Every structure is written in structure tokens, then in C-alpha cells.
Amino acid sequence: MGPELTRRATRCFGRIRPKQRVVKDGDRNRPLLFPPGTDHHYSNTDYIVLGMSIEKVTGRSYRTVIDQRIIRPLGLRDTRLPGSSPFLTGPHSHGYEPVEKEGGTLVPVDYTTVNMSIAGAAGEIVSTTADLDHFFRTLLSGGLLRPAELREMTADTSGDGWGLGLEMATLPCGTIVGHGGGTPGYRTISFHTRDGTRQVTVDWTDWGPDADAGPAALALMTAALCP
């Protein structure tokens, strides 16, 4: 097994615990980017720390809390937190990563089977476009949070297009809210009008001539979300 395939196998099947990520990413000797409360900087490590905080406060895993407080009450039947299980169930698309072989040739490597403990609380959830739309529709219509909390999520308090956990984008018809993200082999965006009545959730893979799907995704959002 070559070095690249060895790294891939470790990444796909090796289990990573939250504390490992925090120790690796959160070097205490690094200077602060800015004084707390004065600016915004997106960090996956912060979400992993948040998952650890949930476990400390509740005495339960963040997977259990999310399942009991969100997934089950909303009836998200195709959404789960797989933990260290690397396998997808039911119909699903395949995700591919470009890997450089000796000689510089790029080849697609299937990343569909991957241990999502690499993401932890920052992104291990497996879901469907329908369930994501259901979640955001419920959230934005006030079905999950109190009005004041929802306002903090949907207001650009950072000055950089971010509220507390939600991202904002500007289309010709106004502001949309949602979130984008990615894992090895997959990229997803899920954006919605502020009232959740018009929605777009789309997923694509990182391989091929259409791997940079940003412009096409923006065109799709504009067509779907601007009446």
C-alpha cells in the first residue's frame, strides 16, 4: 500500500476523538486572532468544543442530545450521527477526492466510506436534502428557538455575513440564510429565505470538470429563491 493510500485508509477508518482534534488544532501557545467579542472567525474546533460542552453539561453524548432534542421531534428519519461507523445506508451519491499518483496524474478516489469521527460535532451528521430542508424550515419559522435566539442566528452580527451559527448571502431579491460545508468527497450548501418558504439544498462531489460548482450553485439559488 502506497503512502497516499495509507493516509486515505487511516482517514477513512481511523477513529478520532474530540480531544485529539482540540489538542491538535487548539495550540495554547498561539496568540489570539483578536480580543474575544470584537470580531468573528469561523472555526470547526469551536464546534468540537461546543460538543464537548454539551456532554459536560448534560452528562450525555452530544449525539444523544441532538437525536432527542432535534432529530426525533422533527421526524428526520433519514438523519443520523454515525459516530465511528464509516458506512452509509440507503440510496446515496458517491463522493470522490482527486489524488495525485506518482508522475503527477490525478485520479478519483472514492471517499464514500469514511469514518466521520474526523469531523465530530463540527460535521459528522449524515442527512438528506429533504431532511435538511425540513430542519431549516422548522428553524426559520420559529419551531425550534425563541424569537430572540432566532434573531441572533439570522442577524449579521459579525459584519462578515455570519450570525450565531448561520451564514448569510445576498441575492438580487434580498438576503438568504443557511449554511455550507464539506467533508472528504462531498460539498453541500443549504440556503433559504428568512421565512423558510423557499429553499435550496444541493450536494456535489469534488471530482471532475464540475468540481468547482460555486457559480452554478449561486445561479441555482438565485433562480429558486428569487421569485
Side-chain angles (χ1 to χ4, degrees), residues 100-166:
E100 185 174 341
K101 296 179 65 177
E102 293 182 10
T105 303
L106 287 177
V107 297
V109 174
D110 193 325
Y111 259 77
T112 307
T113 302
V114 61
N115 184 336
M116 285 310 300
S117 67
I118 191 174
E124 78 160 272
I125 290 180
V126 175
S127 191
T128 62
T129 55
D131 271 7
L132 276 173
D133 281 345
H134 185 181
F135 166 76
F136 274 107
R137 189 164 55 248
T138 304
L139 173 66
L140 295 172
S141 63
L144 282 177
L145 299 174
R146 292 186 290 267
E149 296 168 331
L150 184 58
R151 281 195 298 271
E152 288 191 274
M153 293 192 75
T154 56
D156 183 3
T157 54
S158 69
D160 196 29
W162 285 94
L164 294 184
L166 287 183

Side-chain angles (χ1 to χ4, degrees), residues 71 76 78-83 85-89 124-127:
I71 294 176
L76 305 179
D78 296 313
T79 299
R80 63 190 180 91
L81 290 95
S85 171
F87 302 107
L88 294 177
T89 58
E124 78 160 272
I125 290 180
V126 175
S127 191

Side-chain angles (χ1 to χ4, degrees), residues 27-47:
D27 187 344
R28 293 182 180 180
N29 295 320
R30 294 180 185 176
L32 293 175
L33 294 176
F34 45 80
T38 63
D39 205 343
H40 169 269
H41 179 77
Y42 190 91
S43 170
N44 283 329
T45 302
D46 290 346
Y47 282 93

Side-chain angles (χ1 to χ4, degrees), residues 4 96-100 105-109 111 185 205-208 211:
E4 180 58 46
Y96 297 89
E97 284 278 341
V99 173
E100 185 174 341
T105 303
L106 287 177
V107 297
V109 174
Y111 259 77
T205 188
D206 286 327
W207 172 256

Side-chain angles (χ1 to χ4, degrees), residues 13-76:
F13 298 104
R15 183 179 182 184
I16 297 179
R17 300 181 184 276
K19 289 183 180 179
Q20 291 176 271
R21 285 290 304 273
V22 173
V23 169
K24 179 180 178 181
D25 298 342
D27 187 344
R28 293 182 180 180
N29 295 320
R30 294 180 185 176
L32 293 175
L33 294 176
F34 45 80
T38 63
D39 205 343
H40 169 269
H41 179 77
Y42 190 91
S43 170
N44 283 329
T45 302
D46 290 346
Y47 282 93
I48 292 172
V49 172
L50 181 60
M52 295 170 66
S53 298
I54 290 172
E55 295 178 350
K56 184 72 172 179
V57 170
T58 66
R60 295 172 292 168
S61 72
Y62 70 84
R63 297 182 183 95
T64 298
V65 173
I66 291 172
D67 184 64
Q68 292 179 345
R69 299 190 63 172
I70 298 175
I71 294 176
R72 290 188 186 183
L74 268 61
L76 305 179

